[in-house]
Amino acid sequence: MRLSRYFMPVLKEDPKEAQIVSHRLMLRAGMIKQQAAGIYSWLPMGFKVLNNIQKIVHEEQARAGHIAMLMPTLQSADLWRESGRYDDYGEEMLRIKDRHKRDLLYGPTNEEMITDIFRSHVSSYKDLPLTLYHIQWKFRDEIRPRFGVMRGREFLMKDGYTFDLTKKDALHAYNRHLVSYLRTYERMGLQAIPMRADGGPIGGDYTHEFLVLAETGESEVFYDSEITDLKFGTRSIDYDSVEQCQAVLEEFTSRYARTDETHDAALFEQIPEERRRSARGIEVGQIFYFGTKYSEPMGATVVGPDGNRVPVHMGSHGIGVSRLLGAIIEASHDDKGIIWPEGVTPFHVGIVNLKQGDASTDSACEALYAELKAQGFDPLYDDRDERAGAKFATMDLIGLPWRITVGPRGLAANKVELTSRRSGESEEMSPQEAVTRLKAIYQPVFDAAR
């Protein structure tokens, strides 16, 4: 993509309405535009990152054996009356009527709808286990939407639902999701800590939230500092293995880590004082096991091995896709702008032409752009007729992890400058060496997607 042809309405000044870093930088970098309180249009670069996040989520769900589908945003109120949640959910639910005066709602979650789909098509234990998920827009009418996409009213969410014959099977599905979520977040350059949490309106005795530590987090969290040393990394795991998934759950949840809602001061004080930590955290996902909470009242049953009908055991597992974008910025920025991790960056590398209109410089940039494209990269070429300082400021603001600077002086020695956005360090090398270096840097990212 050439910046002269791209739609990226960058703001020079900090927006007054933005209270936190991610909201400010997303507005300044031309990623979103507010349409109403807590409701945003996703402009091209913001939409690009959103799609990159979705892609990672889909890939890791497929790796775990989960099946993608799509449910509508509008739901019948009758399903929620069956489960008993229609009146209990509260004012966060947007209730509407169609022209025939039928009660509908804009879905805040999909437990009832997926249970209805299951009971309509599955009747035997032989069809279990089953995990279905989708990535869809949700609406919760927050009383005070704020912090941009971090606490909006409309948001994009991955929600998955597990159906199993027994509690034991359902807890394996729970553990499988924990493993897949750890992989998902690490691929996005995040450390998301699983913390004991409260079930809230969804319910369930087993539930963990995944929180990213950040000063602007909405939750107070308490944890053993040892947990921040844990990494899932590139290890291979068999998602069908109960033992392997259970071992990962124990590894990542055996140390104390809780939100303020479930904090136990007495347990916390048993941790050596030098390892006790309290901080703020941003919730980016949650997993639940809630047994037969929905299957019993809604008649989601299967014929078991003994010929008797039994309600299935269910779980619900969510990732805040649009919220993740804000969380990544909160965790990865400096005073110049965003610093995208390689796994989610909107463009792999930015090319800055220091002397637009100079034949040799233009030709070298065009050749570099073409070579990067040929090697599978998605570069952003700043071909605008702007001064160098403005181009550098734009690149720093939008946060591409790597920048190649091309100017007449360097080209005279067949050199360009490769700069890391995170460290600020630059190195001179030939254009071909820059491409080779980028291939080595991004190879783990490309490999993880396979």
Side-chain angles (χ1 to χ4, degrees), residues 63-117:
R63 196 188 304 273
H66 306 159
I67 304 166
M69 59 177 297
L70 185 64
M71 289 175 274
T73 56
L74 293 180
Q75 302 183 30
S76 167
D78 292 340
L79 288 175
W80 285 66
R81 291 188 177 111
E82 276 191 68
S83 72
R85 282 207 299 175
Y86 184 70
D87 293 320
D88 294 343
Y89 203 88
E91 293 186 355
E92 283 190 356
M93 181 189 288
L94 181 63
R95 296 165 170 84
I96 58 178
K97 290 182 183 289
D98 66 14
R99 66 171 65 196
H100 302 292
K101 307 303 179 186
R102 289 179 294 227
D103 291 325
L104 299 172
L105 56 100
Y106 195 127
T109 184
N110 282 77
E111 282 79 12
E112 284 79 3
M113 185 174 286
I114 197 69
T115 304
D116 178 56
I117 291 170

Short mmCIF file of all heavy atoms in Angstrom, two decimals, residues 63-117:
data_model
loop_
_atom_site.label_atom_id
_atom_site.label_comp_id
_atom_site.label_asym_id
_atom_site.label_seq_id
_atom_site.Cartn_x
_atom_site.Cartn_y
_atom_site.Cartn_z
N ARG A 63 -6.85 -24.97 15.45
CA ARG A 63 -5.79 -25.85 15.95
C ARG A 63 -6.30 -26.71 17.11
O ARG A 63 -5.89 -27.86 17.28
CB ARG A 63 -4.59 -24.99 16.41
CG ARG A 63 -3.30 -25.78 16.59
CD ARG A 63 -2.22 -24.91 17.23
NE ARG A 63 -1.97 -23.68 16.51
CZ ARG A 63 -1.11 -23.56 15.50
NH1 ARG A 63 -0.42 -24.61 15.09
NH2 ARG A 63 -0.92 -22.40 14.91
N ALA A 64 -7.20 -26.14 17.92
CA ALA A 64 -7.75 -26.86 19.07
C ALA A 64 -8.93 -27.75 18.67
O ALA A 64 -9.49 -28.44 19.54
CB ALA A 64 -8.18 -25.86 20.14
N GLY A 65 -9.33 -27.73 17.40
CA GLY A 65 -10.42 -28.59 16.94
C GLY A 65 -11.80 -27.99 17.09
O GLY A 65 -12.80 -28.71 17.04
N HIS A 66 -11.88 -26.66 17.23
CA HIS A 66 -13.17 -26.00 17.40
C HIS A 66 -13.72 -25.55 16.05
O HIS A 66 -12.96 -25.24 15.13
CB HIS A 66 -13.02 -24.81 18.36
CG HIS A 66 -12.41 -25.19 19.67
ND1 HIS A 66 -11.80 -24.29 20.51
CD2 HIS A 66 -12.30 -26.41 20.28
CE1 HIS A 66 -11.35 -24.91 21.58
NE2 HIS A 66 -11.63 -26.20 21.47
N ILE A 67 -15.04 -25.50 15.93
CA ILE A 67 -15.69 -25.32 14.64
C ILE A 67 -16.34 -23.94 14.56
O ILE A 67 -17.17 -23.58 15.41
CB ILE A 67 -16.76 -26.41 14.42
CG1 ILE A 67 -16.12 -27.81 14.55
CG2 ILE A 67 -17.41 -26.27 13.04
CD1 ILE A 67 -17.14 -28.93 14.67
N ALA A 68 -15.98 -23.19 13.51
CA ALA A 68 -16.49 -21.82 13.34
C ALA A 68 -17.88 -21.83 12.71
O ALA A 68 -18.21 -22.67 11.86
CB ALA A 68 -15.53 -21.01 12.48
N MET A 69 -18.69 -20.86 13.09
CA MET A 69 -20.01 -20.64 12.51
C MET A 69 -20.33 -19.15 12.68
O MET A 69 -19.45 -18.37 13.02
CB MET A 69 -21.06 -21.51 13.20
CG MET A 69 -21.18 -21.25 14.70
SD MET A 69 -22.47 -22.21 15.53
CE MET A 69 -23.95 -21.62 14.74
N LEU A 70 -21.56 -18.77 12.43
CA LEU A 70 -21.95 -17.37 12.63
C LEU A 70 -23.41 -17.31 13.02
O LEU A 70 -24.29 -17.86 12.33
CB LEU A 70 -21.73 -16.55 11.35
CG LEU A 70 -22.00 -15.05 11.48
CD1 LEU A 70 -21.02 -14.40 12.47
CD2 LEU A 70 -21.89 -14.36 10.12
N MET A 71 -23.68 -16.64 14.14
CA MET A 71 -25.04 -16.42 14.62
C MET A 71 -25.39 -14.95 14.45
O MET A 71 -24.52 -14.10 14.41
CB MET A 71 -25.15 -16.84 16.09
CG MET A 71 -25.09 -18.35 16.29
SD MET A 71 -25.08 -18.88 18.03
CE MET A 71 -23.32 -18.78 18.40
N PRO A 72 -26.69 -14.64 14.36
CA PRO A 72 -27.10 -13.25 14.12
C PRO A 72 -26.91 -12.36 15.36
O PRO A 72 -26.77 -12.86 16.48
CB PRO A 72 -28.58 -13.37 13.76
CG PRO A 72 -29.03 -14.63 14.40
CD PRO A 72 -27.84 -15.56 14.37
N THR A 73 -26.93 -11.06 15.11
CA THR A 73 -26.82 -10.12 16.23
C THR A 73 -28.14 -9.98 16.98
O THR A 73 -28.16 -9.76 18.19
CB THR A 73 -26.39 -8.72 15.72
OG1 THR A 73 -27.32 -8.28 14.72
CG2 THR A 73 -24.99 -8.77 15.13
N LEU A 74 -29.27 -10.11 16.26
CA LEU A 74 -30.58 -10.00 16.89
C LEU A 74 -31.07 -11.38 17.32
O LEU A 74 -30.94 -12.36 16.59
CB LEU A 74 -31.59 -9.36 15.95
CG LEU A 74 -31.35 -7.89 15.59
CD1 LEU A 74 -32.42 -7.38 14.63
CD2 LEU A 74 -31.31 -7.02 16.84
N GLN A 75 -31.65 -11.44 18.52
CA GLN A 75 -32.13 -12.71 19.06
C GLN A 75 -33.56 -12.58 19.53
O GLN A 75 -34.02 -11.48 19.91
CB GLN A 75 -31.25 -13.14 20.23
CG GLN A 75 -29.78 -13.29 19.90
CD GLN A 75 -28.98 -13.79 21.09
OE1 GLN A 75 -29.50 -14.52 21.94
NE2 GLN A 75 -27.71 -13.39 21.16
N SER A 76 -34.29 -13.70 19.54
CA SER A 76 -35.65 -13.72 20.06
C SER A 76 -35.63 -13.67 21.58
O SER A 76 -34.87 -14.41 22.23
CB SER A 76 -36.37 -14.98 19.58
OG SER A 76 -37.58 -15.17 20.30
N ALA A 77 -36.49 -12.84 22.15
CA ALA A 77 -36.59 -12.77 23.61
C ALA A 77 -37.11 -14.07 24.20
O ALA A 77 -36.83 -14.40 25.36
CB ALA A 77 -37.49 -11.61 24.01
N ASP A 78 -37.86 -14.84 23.39
CA ASP A 78 -38.44 -16.08 23.91
C ASP A 78 -37.36 -17.05 24.38
O ASP A 78 -37.55 -17.77 25.38
CB ASP A 78 -39.31 -16.75 22.83
CG ASP A 78 -40.57 -15.96 22.52
OD1 ASP A 78 -40.95 -15.12 23.36
OD2 ASP A 78 -41.15 -16.16 21.44
N LEU A 79 -36.23 -17.12 23.67
CA LEU A 79 -35.16 -18.01 24.09
C LEU A 79 -34.63 -17.62 25.46
O LEU A 79 -34.33 -18.47 26.30
CB LEU A 79 -34.02 -17.98 23.06
CG LEU A 79 -34.28 -18.66 21.72
CD1 LEU A 79 -33.09 -18.44 20.78
CD2 LEU A 79 -34.53 -20.15 21.90
N TRP A 80 -34.50 -16.32 25.69
CA TRP A 80 -33.97 -15.84 26.97
C TRP A 80 -35.00 -16.03 28.09
O TRP A 80 -34.63 -16.19 29.25
CB TRP A 80 -33.57 -14.37 26.85
CG TRP A 80 -32.30 -14.19 26.09
CD1 TRP A 80 -32.08 -14.46 24.77
CD2 TRP A 80 -31.05 -13.74 26.61
NE1 TRP A 80 -30.78 -14.20 24.43
CE2 TRP A 80 -30.12 -13.74 25.53
CE3 TRP A 80 -30.63 -13.31 27.86
CZ2 TRP A 80 -28.80 -13.34 25.70
CZ3 TRP A 80 -29.31 -12.91 28.03
CH2 TRP A 80 -28.41 -12.93 26.96
N ARG A 81 -36.29 -16.03 27.74
CA ARG A 81 -37.30 -16.33 28.76
C ARG A 81 -37.22 -17.80 29.17
O ARG A 81 -37.45 -18.15 30.32
CB ARG A 81 -38.68 -15.99 28.21
CG ARG A 81 -38.90 -14.48 28.04
CD ARG A 81 -40.34 -14.15 27.69
NE ARG A 81 -40.55 -12.70 27.59
CZ ARG A 81 -40.79 -12.04 26.46
NH1 ARG A 81 -40.84 -12.72 25.30
NH2 ARG A 81 -40.96 -10.75 26.44
N GLU A 82 -36.89 -18.67 28.22
CA GLU A 82 -36.74 -20.09 28.53
C GLU A 82 -35.64 -20.32 29.56
O GLU A 82 -35.76 -21.13 30.47
CB GLU A 82 -36.39 -20.89 27.27
CG GLU A 82 -37.56 -21.32 26.42
CD GLU A 82 -37.12 -22.32 25.37
OE1 GLU A 82 -36.76 -23.45 25.76
OE2 GLU A 82 -37.14 -21.97 24.18
N SER A 83 -34.53 -19.60 29.40
CA SER A 83 -33.40 -19.79 30.31
C SER A 83 -33.59 -19.04 31.62
O SER A 83 -32.86 -19.27 32.59
CB SER A 83 -32.10 -19.33 29.65
OG SER A 83 -32.07 -17.91 29.55
N GLY A 84 -34.54 -18.09 31.65
CA GLY A 84 -34.77 -17.31 32.85
C GLY A 84 -33.92 -16.06 32.96
O GLY A 84 -33.94 -15.38 33.99
N ARG A 85 -33.19 -15.73 31.87
CA ARG A 85 -32.28 -14.58 31.96
C ARG A 85 -32.86 -13.28 31.39
O ARG A 85 -32.23 -12.22 31.54
CB ARG A 85 -30.97 -14.89 31.22
CG ARG A 85 -30.03 -15.76 31.97
CD ARG A 85 -28.59 -15.51 31.58
NE ARG A 85 -28.30 -15.77 30.18
CZ ARG A 85 -27.12 -15.53 29.61
NH1 ARG A 85 -26.13 -15.01 30.32
NH2 ARG A 85 -26.92 -15.80 28.32
N TYR A 86 -34.00 -13.34 30.71
CA TYR A 86 -34.49 -12.15 30.01
C TYR A 86 -34.74 -11.00 30.98
O TYR A 86 -34.34 -9.85 30.72
CB TYR A 86 -35.77 -12.47 29.24
CG TYR A 86 -36.28 -11.32 28.42
CD1 TYR A 86 -35.58 -10.89 27.28
CD2 TYR A 86 -37.45 -10.63 28.76
CE1 TYR A 86 -36.03 -9.82 26.52
CE2 TYR A 86 -37.91 -9.57 28.00
CZ TYR A 86 -37.20 -9.16 26.88
OH TYR A 86 -37.65 -8.10 26.13
N ASP A 87 -35.39 -11.28 32.09
CA ASP A 87 -35.68 -10.22 33.06
C ASP A 87 -34.50 -9.97 34.00
O ASP A 87 -34.35 -8.87 34.53
CB ASP A 87 -36.92 -10.59 33.88
CG ASP A 87 -38.17 -10.61 33.03
OD1 ASP A 87 -38.32 -9.74 32.16
OD2 ASP A 87 -39.00 -11.54 33.23
N ASP A 88 -33.65 -10.98 34.17
CA ASP A 88 -32.56 -10.85 35.13
C ASP A 88 -31.36 -10.07 34.59
O ASP A 88 -30.58 -9.55 35.37
CB ASP A 88 -32.07 -12.25 35.57
CG ASP A 88 -33.14 -13.00 36.35
OD1 ASP A 88 -34.09 -12.35 36.83
OD2 ASP A 88 -33.02 -14.23 36.48
N TYR A 89 -31.20 -10.03 33.27
CA TYR A 89 -29.95 -9.51 32.71
C TYR A 89 -29.76 -8.01 33.01
O TYR A 89 -28.65 -7.53 33.12
CB TYR A 89 -29.89 -9.75 31.20
CG TYR A 89 -28.46 -9.76 30.67
CD1 TYR A 89 -27.71 -10.93 30.66
CD2 TYR A 89 -27.85 -8.59 30.22
CE1 TYR A 89 -26.41 -10.95 30.20
CE2 TYR A 89 -26.54 -8.60 29.76
CZ TYR A 89 -25.83 -9.78 29.75
OH TYR A 89 -24.54 -9.79 29.31
N GLY A 90 -30.85 -7.27 33.10
CA GLY A 90 -30.72 -5.86 33.47
C GLY A 90 -30.72 -4.91 32.28
O GLY A 90 -30.96 -5.30 31.14
N GLU A 91 -30.44 -3.64 32.56
CA GLU A 91 -30.56 -2.59 31.56
C GLU A 91 -29.43 -2.59 30.54
O GLU A 91 -29.49 -1.84 29.56
CB GLU A 91 -30.65 -1.22 32.24
CG GLU A 91 -31.93 -1.03 33.05
CD GLU A 91 -32.08 0.37 33.60
OE1 GLU A 91 -31.12 1.17 33.43
OE2 GLU A 91 -33.13 0.66 34.19
N GLU A 92 -28.40 -3.40 30.73
CA GLU A 92 -27.36 -3.50 29.72
C GLU A 92 -27.88 -4.15 28.44
O GLU A 92 -27.29 -3.99 27.38
CB GLU A 92 -26.17 -4.31 30.25
CG GLU A 92 -25.29 -3.52 31.21
CD GLU A 92 -24.00 -4.25 31.52
OE1 GLU A 92 -23.83 -5.40 31.04
OE2 GLU A 92 -23.16 -3.69 32.23
N MET A 93 -28.97 -4.90 28.54
CA MET A 93 -29.55 -5.54 27.37
C MET A 93 -30.41 -4.55 26.59
O MET A 93 -31.30 -3.90 27.15
CB MET A 93 -30.38 -6.76 27.76
CG MET A 93 -30.99 -7.49 26.56
SD MET A 93 -32.17 -8.75 27.08
CE MET A 93 -31.06 -9.97 27.75
N LEU A 94 -30.14 -4.42 25.29
CA LEU A 94 -30.94 -3.55 24.43
C LEU A 94 -32.13 -4.34 23.92
O LEU A 94 -31.99 -5.26 23.10
CB LEU A 94 -30.09 -3.04 23.27
CG LEU A 94 -30.79 -2.07 22.30
CD1 LEU A 94 -31.20 -0.78 23.02
CD2 LEU A 94 -29.88 -1.75 21.12
N ARG A 95 -33.31 -4.01 24.41
CA ARG A 95 -34.53 -4.71 24.03
C ARG A 95 -35.28 -3.90 22.98
O ARG A 95 -35.44 -2.68 23.12
CB ARG A 95 -35.42 -4.92 25.25
CG ARG A 95 -34.79 -5.82 26.32
CD ARG A 95 -35.53 -5.71 27.65
NE ARG A 95 -35.12 -6.73 28.60
CZ ARG A 95 -34.06 -6.64 29.40
NH1 ARG A 95 -33.31 -5.56 29.36
NH2 ARG A 95 -33.76 -7.61 30.23
N ILE A 96 -35.76 -4.57 21.93
CA ILE A 96 -36.47 -3.89 20.85
C ILE A 96 -37.67 -4.74 20.41
O ILE A 96 -37.78 -5.91 20.78
CB ILE A 96 -35.54 -3.64 19.64
CG1 ILE A 96 -34.95 -4.95 19.13
CG2 ILE A 96 -34.44 -2.66 19.99
CD1 ILE A 96 -34.05 -4.80 17.92
N LYS A 97 -38.55 -4.14 19.61
CA LYS A 97 -39.68 -4.85 19.03
C LYS A 97 -39.64 -4.68 17.52
O LYS A 97 -39.28 -3.62 17.02
CB LYS A 97 -41.02 -4.30 19.56
CG LYS A 97 -41.29 -4.62 21.04
CD LYS A 97 -42.65 -4.07 21.45
CE LYS A 97 -42.91 -4.32 22.94
NZ LYS A 97 -43.15 -5.74 23.23
N ASP A 98 -40.03 -5.73 16.79
CA ASP A 98 -40.13 -5.58 15.34
C ASP A 98 -41.51 -5.05 14.97
O ASP A 98 -42.33 -4.74 15.85
CB ASP A 98 -39.79 -6.90 14.63
CG ASP A 98 -40.79 -8.01 14.91
OD1 ASP A 98 -41.89 -7.73 15.44
OD2 ASP A 98 -40.49 -9.18 14.59
N ARG A 99 -41.82 -4.96 13.67
CA ARG A 99 -43.10 -4.36 13.24
C ARG A 99 -44.31 -5.18 13.67
O ARG A 99 -45.44 -4.68 13.70
CB ARG A 99 -43.10 -4.19 11.73
CG ARG A 99 -43.07 -5.49 10.93
CD ARG A 99 -43.29 -5.23 9.46
NE ARG A 99 -42.20 -4.48 8.88
CZ ARG A 99 -42.29 -3.86 7.70
NH1 ARG A 99 -43.41 -3.92 7.00
NH2 ARG A 99 -41.25 -3.23 7.22
N HIS A 100 -44.07 -6.47 14.00
CA HIS A 100 -45.17 -7.32 14.46
C HIS A 100 -45.26 -7.36 15.98
O HIS A 100 -45.97 -8.20 16.54
CB HIS A 100 -44.99 -8.74 13.91
CG HIS A 100 -44.91 -8.80 12.42
ND1 HIS A 100 -46.00 -8.52 11.60
CD2 HIS A 100 -43.87 -9.08 11.59
CE1 HIS A 100 -45.63 -8.63 10.34
NE2 HIS A 100 -44.36 -8.97 10.30
N LYS A 101 -44.54 -6.45 16.63
CA LYS A 101 -44.54 -6.31 18.09
C LYS A 101 -43.94 -7.51 18.81
O LYS A 101 -44.22 -7.77 19.99
CB LYS A 101 -45.96 -6.04 18.63
CG LYS A 101 -46.68 -4.89 17.97
CD LYS A 101 -45.88 -3.59 18.10
CE LYS A 101 -46.59 -2.42 17.40
NZ LYS A 101 -45.77 -1.19 17.40
N ARG A 102 -43.08 -8.26 18.09
CA ARG A 102 -42.39 -9.37 18.73
C ARG A 102 -41.16 -8.84 19.46
O ARG A 102 -40.44 -7.99 18.94
CB ARG A 102 -41.98 -10.41 17.69
CG ARG A 102 -43.16 -11.19 17.12
CD ARG A 102 -42.70 -12.19 16.09
NE ARG A 102 -42.17 -11.53 14.91
CZ ARG A 102 -42.49 -11.85 13.64
NH1 ARG A 102 -43.37 -12.82 13.41
NH2 ARG A 102 -41.95 -11.22 12.63
N ASP A 103 -40.91 -9.37 20.63
CA ASP A 103 -39.78 -8.92 21.44
C ASP A 103 -38.49 -9.52 20.90
O ASP A 103 -38.36 -10.75 20.76
CB ASP A 103 -39.97 -9.35 22.91
CG ASP A 103 -41.09 -8.59 23.59
OD1 ASP A 103 -41.26 -7.40 23.26
OD2 ASP A 103 -41.78 -9.17 24.44
N LEU A 104 -37.52 -8.63 20.64
CA LEU A 104 -36.19 -9.03 20.21
C LEU A 104 -35.16 -8.35 21.11
O LEU A 104 -35.50 -7.44 21.89
CB LEU A 104 -35.94 -8.62 18.75
CG LEU A 104 -36.87 -9.21 17.68
CD1 LEU A 104 -36.59 -8.53 16.34
CD2 LEU A 104 -36.66 -10.71 17.55
N LEU A 105 -33.92 -8.79 21.01
CA LEU A 105 -32.85 -8.12 21.74
C LEU A 105 -31.60 -8.17 20.88
O LEU A 105 -31.43 -9.06 20.05
CB LEU A 105 -32.62 -8.80 23.09
CG LEU A 105 -32.30 -10.31 23.06
CD1 LEU A 105 -30.79 -10.54 23.21
CD2 LEU A 105 -33.06 -11.04 24.15
N TYR A 106 -30.75 -7.17 21.08
CA TYR A 106 -29.44 -7.17 20.42
C TYR A 106 -28.51 -7.95 21.35
O TYR A 106 -28.26 -7.54 22.47
CB TYR A 106 -28.95 -5.73 20.24
CG TYR A 106 -27.79 -5.58 19.27
CD1 TYR A 106 -27.84 -4.68 18.22
CD2 TYR A 106 -26.63 -6.33 19.42
CE1 TYR A 106 -26.77 -4.53 17.33
CE2 TYR A 106 -25.56 -6.20 18.54
CZ TYR A 106 -25.64 -5.29 17.50
OH TYR A 106 -24.58 -5.16 16.64
N GLY A 107 -28.02 -9.09 20.85
CA GLY A 107 -27.34 -10.06 21.71
C GLY A 107 -26.13 -9.53 22.45
O GLY A 107 -25.19 -9.05 21.82
N PRO A 108 -26.12 -9.65 23.78
CA PRO A 108 -24.91 -9.39 24.56
C PRO A 108 -24.03 -10.63 24.67
O PRO A 108 -22.86 -10.54 24.99
CB PRO A 108 -25.46 -8.99 25.93
CG PRO A 108 -26.75 -9.74 26.04
CD PRO A 108 -27.30 -9.89 24.64
N THR A 109 -24.63 -11.81 24.40
CA THR A 109 -23.94 -13.09 24.42
C THR A 109 -24.89 -14.11 23.78
O THR A 109 -26.01 -13.77 23.43
CB THR A 109 -23.54 -13.48 25.86
OG1 THR A 109 -22.78 -14.68 25.84
CG2 THR A 109 -24.75 -13.64 26.76
N ASN A 110 -24.45 -15.36 23.62
CA ASN A 110 -25.23 -16.29 22.78
C ASN A 110 -25.50 -17.65 23.40
O ASN A 110 -25.77 -18.62 22.67
CB ASN A 110 -24.50 -16.51 21.44
CG ASN A 110 -24.68 -15.37 20.47
OD1 ASN A 110 -24.05 -14.33 20.62
ND2 ASN A 110 -25.54 -15.53 19.50
N GLU A 111 -25.46 -17.77 24.72
CA GLU A 111 -25.71 -19.08 25.33
C GLU A 111 -27.06 -19.66 24.93
O GLU A 111 -27.17 -20.86 24.61
CB GLU A 111 -25.63 -18.97 26.86
CG GLU A 111 -24.23 -18.93 27.43
CD GLU A 111 -23.59 -17.55 27.32
OE1 GLU A 111 -24.32 -16.58 27.01
OE2 GLU A 111 -22.37 -17.44 27.54
N GLU A 112 -28.11 -18.85 24.97
CA GLU A 112 -29.45 -19.36 24.65
C GLU A 112 -29.56 -19.78 23.19
O GLU A 112 -30.11 -20.85 22.88
CB GLU A 112 -30.50 -18.27 24.96
CG GLU A 112 -30.82 -18.09 26.43
CD GLU A 112 -29.77 -17.26 27.17
OE1 GLU A 112 -28.83 -16.77 26.53
OE2 GLU A 112 -29.91 -17.10 28.40
N MET A 113 -29.05 -18.97 22.28
CA MET A 113 -29.19 -19.29 20.86
C MET A 113 -28.42 -20.55 20.48
O MET A 113 -28.92 -21.40 19.74
CB MET A 113 -28.74 -18.10 20.00
CG MET A 113 -28.96 -18.33 18.51
SD MET A 113 -28.60 -16.87 17.52
CE MET A 113 -30.01 -15.84 17.92
N ILE A 114 -27.19 -20.69 21.00
CA ILE A 114 -26.41 -21.86 20.65
C ILE A 114 -27.03 -23.11 21.27
O ILE A 114 -26.99 -24.20 20.67
CB ILE A 114 -24.92 -21.70 21.08
CG1 ILE A 114 -24.05 -22.73 20.37
CG2 ILE A 114 -24.77 -21.82 22.58
CD1 ILE A 114 -23.89 -22.52 18.89
N THR A 115 -27.65 -22.99 22.45
CA THR A 115 -28.32 -24.14 23.06
C THR A 115 -29.51 -24.55 22.21
O THR A 115 -29.78 -25.75 22.03
CB THR A 115 -28.77 -23.79 24.49
OG1 THR A 115 -27.63 -23.35 25.25
CG2 THR A 115 -29.38 -25.00 25.18
N ASP A 116 -30.22 -23.58 21.66
CA ASP A 116 -31.35 -23.88 20.78
C ASP A 116 -30.87 -24.58 19.51
O ASP A 116 -31.50 -25.54 19.03
CB ASP A 116 -32.09 -22.59 20.43
CG ASP A 116 -33.24 -22.82 19.47
OD1 ASP A 116 -34.13 -23.64 19.79
OD2 ASP A 116 -33.24 -22.21 18.38
N ILE A 117 -29.77 -24.13 18.94
CA ILE A 117 -29.21 -24.77 17.75
C ILE A 117 -28.81 -26.21 18.07
O ILE A 117 -29.11 -27.15 17.33
CB ILE A 117 -28.00 -23.97 17.23
CG1 ILE A 117 -28.46 -22.63 16.65
CG2 ILE A 117 -27.23 -24.76 16.17
CD1 ILE A 117 -27.34 -21.66 16.33
#
